[in-house]
Amino acid sequence: MDGSILESIGVEIIGVMSPVSICMLLVVLIVYSLTSFSSTSGEPIRTAANLVYLEAPTDSTSEKIEGSLLNALVFVILIAAVTFLLVLLYYYNFTNFLKNYMRFSAFFVLGVMGGSIFISIIRQFSIPIDAITCLILLFNFTVVGVLSIFAEGIPIPILLRQVYMVLLGIIVAAWFTNLPEWTTWTLLVALALYDLVAVLAPGGPLKILVELASSRDDELPALVYEARPTVSRNTRGSSFGLLVGGVSSDSVEVEMTRHNATGARNGDSDELMDNRDEAEETSPLVPTLRDRIRSSSSGGSEFSMGQTEIIENEEDLSPLAAILGMGNDRETQSRSRGIDEETTRGIKLGLGDFVFYSVLVGRAAMYDLMTVYACYLAIISGLGCTLILLSVFRQALPALPISIALGIMFYFLTRVLMEPFVVGTSTNLMMF
Amino acid sequence: MTLAAGIGYVLLALGPSLTLFVTVISTKPFLILTLLSSTLVWLISLIVLSGVWRVFLPLKTTAWWPYAILILTSIAFQEGLRLVLWRGYKKLEDMLDAFADRVAKPRLYLTDKMQIALAGGLGHGLAHAVFFCLSLLTPSFGPATFYVDKCSYAPFFLISAIISLAFVTIHTFSMVIAFNGYAEGNKSDQMIVPFLHLIAGTLTLVNLVSGGCIVGIPLLYMVAFSTLAYCGKMVWRRLTENQIRLTHQNQ
């Protein structure tokens, strides 16, 4: 049967939304299963995100607001500085350095931060596993992850790469949920604003980075999730297009120093972990549309739903051939798939978006399940709006602002308005 | 043990919708998007309603009439919303058809339209179950359970899961009935949807009486099953009519 158009519309949007959903779900699960553990040990952690002010429950509200604002400011300045540094390095063609730095940071995130999360999971559920096996498994896990993230010349399945991207997002997000409440909110707002500026303002670091990368026909030196549908579905001539996205990253320096103050728990008292790791990038959904997006808008301007995903254009493999020197894995991908099949480059979403969406949802999970659902829906719809805007503006767009704004709004609306209403009616067993 | 119970409650409330989601919705990305947006619309409607009612809550009285007003206004608001949704859907359908013409694909089939309606309805139902049942389930994963005075035959979570299942069914299929009714201009189909919703809503008022849930829940399930039966009958009629028309055209 000649499939109806319902099957072909929205493939790309779902391709982005499903990993984001998986990421959020897993972060919420981790937060749920680990909160009891970490709340009892109650170690304050100091990271780059709360360098200035360490929130204590006893502080007054104004102190908290002031301190968290300062924290957010410092954090954003740090990110901006690191991003500019990255752009500078990229501008002067230190690509190899950047890639190795990314590898190193991925190694660090997967190995150390991921490792500590695994250890707390193992403790929480009392999984019987000995240290040596655990180390070997962790090492293998990490090495495969590092290889898959920037594979050069190795044909790594795209699925594996996507899985590791999501894992990186989960790990970093799970760490960020350790931040105190007020700091988290101001940080999210500040990052959303920063994202807006960095991607859209002329001279914004991410904008420069994306433009540089697209002028060089290069991949962005960043941790970016690619939603790449394997084959285009449209078998008749008109191909789905290459929605070339690039998301830049700026890696953030997050310094996590974990003072395990009360640490008598498992004998690792006064453990001081100095994790100097990069984290992620606050990044935008930055598709640089190299190819013409032809959307003959006969359906009127509102027809964005259909056009976001279905973008017709010619296939264009030539820029790929130009980057032989890079040993681009994308090329091997397209080769292995056969040249005459249209390659579809999916929308790219920065890992930072994964992280901060999940941070928001994870923070919501500490309050109640209701806020989790509300925030999830808000974030996903914000992402949908961003993708629709993407098809309208056809340039790199920040993915954080709309989603974060909606998410925070829905969080507080749910918490303040909806919860008493719903709890009040449903504990009386009344529904409608 | 409590974890198993919690998962059991979730599956009880959402099992059928999960099946529907996996078999019908998840294969078609557009339907997933429809589902998500309809869930969001329902959430927004709930927030608006609770914003209005926030001033009066929590109700201190044991009288039933404030609750009756609450339920009536909520149902009226949501049925109004269904009309708005229908307008939106109408536009969407035109766009999809125009788009299908442009890429030289067949226009929306009747079954496609019904699937969109189903996805929309399932979104409403899911949102209902999520906010009225699932979000209250957190304590059920803990070491204890909770009984309501008015209905102490079973744990509160179990009862709310059972009621949610009925409402998920009603929401899901009444959307199909309503959209079909609007499309055909069939007055009886259009009217039966608010009617069913109203009856279901008022039936939950019975739960206010001590021990009322013994009567209320079976009645609620009767409403749910009649919705299901009505929807099934209507879809069957439409499909057979359509089949006959198609074969006539082919001859």
Side-chain angles (χ1 to χ4, degrees):
Chain A
M1 162 172 162
D2 195 12
S4 70
I5 54 170
L6 287 190
E7 286 166 33
S8 51
I9 289 182
V11 179
E12 301 234 349
I13 291 192
I14 293 302
V16 174
M17 280 182 180
S18 48
V20 172
S21 310
I22 292 172
C23 188
M24 290 198 254
L25 174 74
L26 288 177
V27 169
V28 167
L29 284 182
I30 289 180
V31 166
Y32 255 112
S33 52
L34 294 188
T35 32
S36 52
F37 170 71
S38 58
S39 62
T40 45
S41 62
E43 73 269 33
I45 56 162
R46 190 172 272 285
T47 67
N50 51 1
L51 270 182
V52 189
Y53 164 74
L54 208 55
E55 190 174 317
T58 48
D59 290 353
S60 72
T61 312
S62 63
E63 266 178 343
K64 281 183 185 170
I65 291 177
E66 201 177 311
S68 60
L69 280 177
L70 271 177
N71 275 339
L73 190 72
V74 170
F75 191 64
V76 166
I77 289 173
L78 256 172
I79 290 179
V82 175
T83 317
F84 269 111
L85 192 70
L86 270 182
V87 172
L88 216 65
L89 286 174
Y90 190 61
Y91 186 78
Y92 290 110
N93 274 326
F94 286 105
T95 325
N96 270 334
F97 171 79
L98 282 179
K99 290 207 165 172
N100 284 320
Y101 170 68
M102 290 293 168
R103 284 195 193 105
F104 170 73
S105 42
F107 181 83
F108 219 91
V109 169
L110 288 172
V112 178
M113 294 165 82
S116 78
I117 286 175
F118 291 146
I119 288 173
S120 26
I121 289 175
I122 287 169
R123 262 186 215 161
Q124 177 76 9
F125 295 104
S126 330
I127 300 168
I129 187 169
D130 63 297
I132 300 167
T133 321
C134 187
L135 264 182
I136 292 175
L137 285 180
L138 184 65
F139 185 73
N140 277 303
F141 165 78
T142 312
V143 168
V144 174
V146 171
L147 285 181
S148 68
I149 282 163
F150 278 107
E152 309 212 334
I154 318 166
I156 297 271
I158 183 79
L159 187 69
L160 189 68
R161 202 177 153 170
Q162 290 175 336
V163 167
Y164 267 104
M165 281 297 173
V166 173
L167 276 175
L168 272 179
I170 291 169
I171 291 170
V172 177
W175 271 89
F176 266 96
T177 50
N178 287 337
L179 291 176
E181 185 170 11
W182 280 95
T183 307
T184 312
W185 294 122
T186 44
L187 194 69
L188 284 173
V189 173
L191 281 172
L193 292 177
Y194 165 76
D195 198 17
L196 197 65
V197 173
V199 179
L200 292 181
L206 296 181
K207 191 182 171 79
I208 299 175
L209 197 65
V210 170
E211 279 168 0
L212 264 179
S214 73
S215 71
R216 289 185 197 171
D217 278 340
D218 197 358
E219 251 189 306
L220 280 164
L223 299 175
V224 171
Y225 180 89
E226 283 176 67
R228 178 159 39 185
T230 43
V231 216
S232 132
R233 301 213 168 185
N234 204 337
T235 45
R236 301 170 309 92
S238 79
S239 55
F240 280 51
L242 319 187
L243 179 62
V244 182
V247 178
S248 76
S249 80
D250 42 78
S251 20
V252 183
E253 291 280 336
V254 182
E255 196 176 39
M256 301 238 179
T257 316
R258 195 163 155 231
H259 302 283
N260 207 338
T262 56
R265 209 179 168 65
N266 278 2
D268 50 354
S269 52
D270 289 329
E271 161 198 33
L272 203 93
M273 271 163 48
D274 236 331
N275 309 351
R276 206 164 153 71
D277 60 87
E278 80 57 76
E280 62 292 64
E281 61 292 29
T282 46
S283 337
L285 168 72
V286 193
T288 55
L289 300 187
R290 219 175 289 159
D291 302 303
R292 190 78 54 252
I293 298 181
R294 216 172 298 136
S295 43
S296 49
S297 48
S298 60
S301 59
E302 317 137 290
F303 189 24
S304 28
M305 276 309 271
Q307 280 156 6
T308 316
E309 326 64 44
I310 313 274
I311 293 145
E312 309 168 67
N313 58 6
E314 304 77 29
E315 67 175 284
D316 175 12
L317 289 176
S318 54
L320 291 179
I323 22 176
L324 280 171
M326 295 307 300
N328 200 323
D329 71 322
R330 179 173 290 163
E331 199 177 15
T332 49
Q333 280 275 334
S334 55
R335 272 200 191 139
S336 61
R337 227 184 282 142
I339 303 290
D340 44 359
E341 265 179 2
E342 299 110 61
T343 51
T344 312
R345 292 193 215 169
I347 300 167
K348 289 186 179 181
L349 188 64
L351 205 59
D353 300 322
F354 278 77
V355 171
F356 293 108
Y357 292 162
S358 309
V359 169
L360 209 166
V361 177
R363 174 44 68 180
M366 290 179 194
Y367 183 70
D368 191 17
L369 269 183
M370 202 180 296
T371 48
V372 174
Y373 301 126
C375 285
Y376 169 74
L377 281 175
I379 287 176
I380 283 291
S381 61
L383 186 61
C385 288
T386 314
L387 291 175
I388 288 168
L389 285 180
L390 187 69
S391 74
V392 176
F393 290 109
R394 296 169 202 177
Q395 58 155 352
L397 286 180
L400 280 182
I402 302 178
S403 289
I404 295 290
L406 281 177
I408 292 179
M409 200 176 83
F410 272 72
Y411 176 84
F412 287 105
L413 280 179
T414 308
R415 194 169 162 170
V416 175
L417 293 181
M418 212 172 86
E419 196 173 29
F421 179 77
V422 169
V423 171
T425 52
S426 63
T427 47
N428 282 308
L429 290 178
M430 286 199 310
M431 303 187 185
F432 47 87
Chain B
M1 190 57 208
T2 48
L3 184 69
I7 293 172
Y9 298 141
V10 173
L11 287 181
L12 191 60
L14 285 182
S17 0
L18 196 70
T19 320
L20 265 182
F21 180 80
V22 172
T23 51
V24 182
I25 311 282
S26 65
T27 50
K28 300 183 178 174
F30 186 78
L31 293 183
I32 304 181
L33 295 179
T34 316
L35 182 112
L36 282 174
S37 34
S38 125
T39 314
L40 186 79
V41 167
W42 206 87
L43 169 64
I44 293 172
S45 85
L46 196 61
I47 287 182
V48 170
L49 277 173
S50 51
V52 173
W53 276 93
R54 182 73 181 89
V55 195
F56 308 105
L57 289 177
L59 294 173
K60 291 282 178 235
T61 62
T62 47
W64 59 275
W65 56 268
Y67 289 105
I69 296 173
L70 189 149
I71 295 256
L72 285 182
T73 47
S74 310
I75 291 176
F77 183 74
Q78 289 187 339
E79 290 303 325
L81 198 70
R82 204 194 293 279
L83 277 174
V84 177
L85 263 185
W86 164 250
R87 295 265 162 77
Y89 165 72
K90 201 67 200 147
K91 276 194 187 133
L92 186 77
E93 194 184 308
D94 292 344
M95 285 179 210
L96 284 176
D97 277 339
F99 182 74
D101 287 347
R102 210 169 67 232
V103 295
K105 284 230 177 191
R107 287 181 161 223
L108 291 180
Y109 300 115
L110 181 64
T111 47
D112 289 339
K113 292 179 188 172
M114 285 181 180
Q115 279 179 357
I116 294 180
L118 184 76
L122 192 62
H124 273 39
L126 273 184
H128 177 278
V130 159
F131 288 105
F132 279 106
C133 170
L134 245 64
S135 54
L136 303 173
L137 277 184
T138 334
S140 83
F141 292 103
T145 189
F146 174 57
Y147 286 84
V148 188
D149 290 339
K150 302 265 173 59
C151 190
S152 53
Y153 307 100
F156 163 71
F157 305 114
L158 182 61
I159 296 173
S160 75
I162 291 174
I163 297 181
S164 279
L165 176 60
F167 271 99
V168 170
T169 317
I170 292 171
H171 278 301
T172 307
F173 293 102
S174 61
M175 190 68 95
V176 180
I177 300 176
F179 275 21
N180 232 309
Y182 294 133
E184 283 187 302
N186 187 338
K187 281 278 180 256
S188 68
D189 283 357
Q190 288 174 23
M191 292 319 293
I192 198 162
V193 172
F195 182 65
L196 283 171
H197 195 174
L198 192 68
I199 290 190
T202 38
L203 275 179
T204 58
L205 282 177
V206 178
N207 295 332
L208 280 178
V209 187
S210 185
C213 55
I214 286 291
V215 188
I217 291 177
L219 286 176
L220 189 63
Y221 267 83
M222 280 173 60
V223 177
F225 279 118
S226 51
T227 316
L228 202 60
Y230 192 90
C231 178
K233 219 177 74 186
M234 191 204 64
V235 170
W236 179 254
R237 177 174 57 82
R238 287 278 293 176
L239 286 181
T240 43
E241 272 174 16
N242 203 41
Q243 203 71 37
I244 292 166
R245 208 178 304 146
L246 279 181
T247 44
H248 273 292
Q249 278 172 0
N250 289 342
Q251 276 162 7

